[in-house]
Amino acid sequence: MTAAAAVEVRDLHKSFGDLEVLKGIDLRIAAGEVVCVIGPSGSGKSTLLRCVNLLEEPTAGQVLVGGVELTDPEIDIDAVRRGIGMVFQQFNLFPHLTVTENLTLPQRRVLRRSKAEAGEVAASGLRRVGLVDKAEAYPAQLSGGQQQRVAIARALAMAPRVMLFDEPTSALDPELVGEVLGVMRGLADEGMTMVVVTHEMSFAREVADRVVFMDDGVVVEDGPPAQVVAAPRHDRTRAFLSRLLDPAAGPASGDAAVKAAGPAEHGAAP
Amino acid sequence: MSTASAPRRRLSRRQRARVSRGLQYAVLLLAVVIFAVAADWDRIGEAFFDTEVIGELFPQILTTALKNTVIYTVCAFAFGLVLGLVLALMRLSPVLPYRVLATVYIEFFRGVPALLVLIAFGYGIPVALNTEVPGGIVGTITVALGLVAAAYMAETMRAGIQAVPRGQMEAARSLGMSHTRAMVSIVIPQAFRIILPPLTNELILLTKDSSLVYLLGVTLPTRELAKFGRDALNQYVSMTPILIAGLCYLIITVPLGILVRRLEARQAAAR
Ligand SMILES: Nc1ncnc2c1ncn2[C@@H]1O[C@H](COP(=O)(O)OP(=O)(O)O)[C@@H](O)[C@H]1O
Ligand SMILES: [Mg+2]
């Protein structure tokens, strides 16, 4: 192990009332590492990500980002969050502001950058995501893919050291997924530390340094994509991946049974 | 016409609707004709639209009365808006005493008549505590009507703030904004766009409520439209001033009403 991890999660627990969503998560992410988090819906992936920048208050355990313990009650959480960018499934652009204002307002209000500097950062951010011509547009005038690229640029404008992505392409039409993944791939190539919750297995295979499979509030499997995606050791991982690759196949372990029963039922139908 | 001559044929739904609407127009037209014939037009014209009296009313009805109505309304609205926002934020606060305080306030001032509040500030408090609301008539009506308006606007603003999707606050916080900064820059501006129509309606209501100022015993330069019209009614023994004063209210309220409909239509289109 090298120096302090970019993100470190120690024995993280999170409950909503009686419902325990995270049941002791341990995770270490080195600087420059790209980690994809996969797992069934409701397994706690979003909650884990939201605990990493304290949008959710952990019930127990520790979260450290850049060596700073976020779970320390004395911490200035607003200051720590500046170093953590977050991209949401629903984009969450500010609809009353133009694209440029979406990028400049946080810089000016949080980082106290001058108007000129914020404008420059915004312009270069929009160049990077290929949306210079949309600088004066309002979010409602953009496609989902364009909105998500703006959201990424907005997060990057704050010069974060870590980027969190919560299913950034799940709300997009299939033909718009590529442009967003392309931007994320570029970011990974530049050495950004990234935690990406995603169902895009090709992205996980090609871009991720590590893939973490979560199920029911625990990390089931954690390793390089060649292992977790291509040759999973655990049944739960295998079942999840086969469902993901072949959604029509039906529920987990019953794959073979369902396939066998299929034609018979079909034959019995009038 | 052909349907009427057809022997006892059942009318279609649309035909029946047309016949019924035709009947309604006919009755309405008849009523108008009877009224027009029977009415004493000279008498009515003189009572409601006496040009001589109208000449006497201008320009003070605009330069004094209309101006004062606008001043009282705008001051009370501004006061109510600021206080209403504070109350709305208190209602949404995680701090229980704030919530309780705001709720009690809103229930109280929504429940008592504005007239009573105005009397309290115009006479009750000055007599009981031997102090007056600063700012004279304008100050008193601003505070009294503003306090009442704040109760209504607080509820509107609370609903508006809650209507802003939670993701907006989360995105703002994830960018490092404090809760207050996110409220000021992100949530409240969006809430105000949502509640612009009901807020404008509140402004229309306040325009009319500003007439309650007569209770405070206004002097010549502080008269607003309603009081001005009433004084002129006594002076000229004519209905005309009341009609003109009423029309002056419409100068304010009708454009506001049109604005509300425009805003609502735009929001419906944006959805
Ligand atoms: N704010 C909340 N209040 C109550 N339950 C929640 C809340 N957020 C998430 N949950 C529950 O926690 C579980 C995990 O949610 P989530 O982390 O969103 O899963 P995932 O992102 O893996 O689909 C779900 O059962 C969900 O209903
Ligand atoms: Mg999720």
Side-chain angles (χ1 to χ4, degrees):
Chain A
M1 290 283 130
T2 45
V7 177
E8 190 167 357
V9 173
R10 292 184 194 148
D11 195 27
L12 182 68
H13 291 258
K14 173 66 186 176
S15 302
F16 295 106
D18 288 338
L19 179 70
E20 191 174 27
V21 174
L22 298 180
K23 303 170 180 172
I25 304 274
D26 289 284
L27 209 56
R28 232 183 112 87
I29 297 164
E33 213 177 2
V34 176
V35 174
C36 280
V37 180
I38 62 173
S41 170
S43 56
K45 307 180 296 295
S46 295
T47 305
L48 170 63
L49 219 55
R50 294 160 59 83
C51 280
V52 170
N53 70 355
L54 245 59
L55 281 180
E56 300 290 355
E57 187 92 34
T59 311
Q62 288 175 307
V63 176
L64 292 87
V65 174
V68 179
E69 190 192 332
L70 271 63
T71 30
D72 177 353
E74 299 297 313
I75 207 82
D76 176 2
I77 186 61
D78 295 328
V80 178
R81 283 206 186 106
R82 283 168 216 163
I84 310 171
M86 179 133 182
V87 174
F88 300 86
Q89 185 176 347
Q90 299 298 337
F91 328 134
N92 292 349
L93 292 182
F94 306 133
H96 62 303
L97 303 177
T98 65
V99 164
T100 296
E101 288 164 348
N102 262 276
L103 270 66
T104 53
L105 185 136
Q107 295 182 61
R108 301 203 54 202
R109 297 284 178 252
V110 176
L111 302 178
R112 303 261 155 230
R113 284 184 183 152
S114 71
K115 195 171 176 175
E117 191 189 357
E120 259 167 50
V121 173
S124 78
L126 290 178
R127 258 198 304 283
R128 159 188 216 145
V129 299
L131 287 172
V132 178
D133 54 325
K134 299 293 182 190
E136 299 312 313
Y138 282 89
Q141 298 168 309
L142 305 182
S143 74
Q146 291 170 333
Q147 289 191 51
Q148 194 60 298
R149 280 144 69 198
V150 172
I152 295 173
R154 178 176 71 180
L156 291 176
M158 308 300 282
R161 274 162 295 140
V162 179
M163 285 285 286
L164 311 175
F165 296 82
D166 191 359
E167 300 199 32
T169 59
S170 292
L172 298 178
D173 290 335
E175 77 269 21
L176 302 177
V177 169
E179 63 191 58
V180 173
L181 292 182
V183 169
M184 291 167 61
R185 201 182 284 254
L187 202 54
D189 289 343
E190 288 167 31
M192 174 63 77
T193 309
M194 293 163 62
V195 185
V196 185
V197 174
T198 187
H199 294 301
E200 297 293 333
M201 281 307 130
S202 58
F203 182 84
R205 256 196 312 267
E206 293 161 25
V207 181
D209 299 303
R210 259 166 64 207
V211 173
V212 172
F213 173 69
M214 275 181 71
D215 193 11
D216 200 20
V218 295
V219 171
V220 175
E221 201 156 342
D222 178 350
Q227 177 205 314
V228 178
V229 180
R233 286 186 204 154
H234 292 261
D235 286 345
R236 284 200 272 178
T237 318
R238 261 196 293 278
F240 170 74
L241 287 171
S242 67
R243 250 175 303 154
L244 200 65
L245 298 174
D246 186 8
S253 51
D255 269 358
V258 169
K259 271 175 190 155
E265 260 177 25
H266 189 259
Chain B
M1 291 306 110
S2 60
T3 54
S5 57
R8 299 225 57 89
R9 192 154 61 82
R10 287 289 296 264
L11 298 180
S12 77
R13 183 186 294 257
R14 189 182 300 173
Q15 283 166 329
R16 256 181 292 155
R18 206 178 301 154
V19 168
S20 142
R21 203 173 320 136
L23 271 174
Q24 287 171 37
Y25 282 137
V27 169
L28 195 65
L29 191 68
L30 194 67
V32 170
V33 168
I34 289 173
F35 179 73
V37 170
D40 180 348
W41 282 109
D42 289 343
R43 179 94 185 266
I44 291 176
E46 203 167 304
F48 284 83
F49 223 77
D50 188 332
T51 44
E52 221 165 279
V53 172
I54 292 176
E56 296 286 325
L57 295 177
F58 284 92
Q60 292 98 315
I61 193 163
L62 296 180
T63 55
T64 306
L66 181 64
K67 189 190 80 184
N68 281 333
T69 290
V70 170
I71 289 174
Y72 299 153
T73 305
V74 168
C75 288
F77 187 73
F79 185 80
L81 201 62
V82 173
L83 183 60
L85 182 58
V86 172
L87 288 165
L89 294 174
M90 286 170 71
R91 279 285 315 252
L92 294 169
S93 162
V95 184
L96 181 68
Y98 284 169
R99 287 205 303 276
V100 171
L101 214 62
T103 307
V104 168
Y105 178 99
I106 289 166
E107 291 306 328
F108 181 82
F109 279 99
R110 275 202 311 194
V112 299
L115 186 117
L116 208 61
V117 178
L118 195 58
I119 292 174
F121 279 90
Y123 301 103
I125 292 173
V127 168
L129 303 179
N130 204 20
T131 53
E132 274 185 28
V133 179
I137 295 269
V138 179
T140 308
I141 189 128
T142 297
V143 170
L145 292 187
L147 286 173
V148 175
Y152 287 95
M153 291 199 269
E155 282 299 86
T156 307
M157 286 189 253
R158 178 186 59 79
I161 289 170
Q162 286 179 322
V164 176
R166 240 183 50 172
Q168 291 292 311
M169 174 58 94
E170 292 183 347
R173 296 304 303 271
S174 78
L175 289 160
M177 292 188 209
S178 66
H179 181 87
T180 308
R181 170 48 65 191
M183 269 291 180
V184 170
S185 292
I186 305 301
V187 176
I188 291 175
Q190 291 182 55
F192 264 95
R193 292 171 145 212
I194 296 170
I195 61 170
L196 217 46
L199 278 189
T200 313
N201 273 327
E202 183 61 31
L203 185 59
I204 292 173
L205 293 178
L206 258 181
T207 306
K208 296 183 289 176
D209 276 354
S210 69
S211 61
L212 290 174
V213 76
Y214 80 88
L215 285 165
L216 301 176
V218 291
T219 57
L220 283 183
T222 57
R223 287 184 302 179
E224 43 62 71
L225 282 171
K227 175 67 171 152
F228 184 92
R230 196 170 136 197
D231 288 352
L233 162 70
N234 292 338
Q235 189 181 340
Y236 302 112
V237 197
S238 165
M239 176 62 196
T240 306
I242 301 298
L243 184 72
I244 300 298
L247 289 175
C248 284
Y249 276 106
L250 296 185
I251 292 175
I252 306 172
T253 55
V254 169
L256 286 176
I258 292 171
L259 181 69
V260 173
R261 277 197 294 279
R262 284 255 175 93
L263 293 169
E264 281 173 344
R266 210 177 63 183
Q267 286 186 0
R271 213 159 277 144

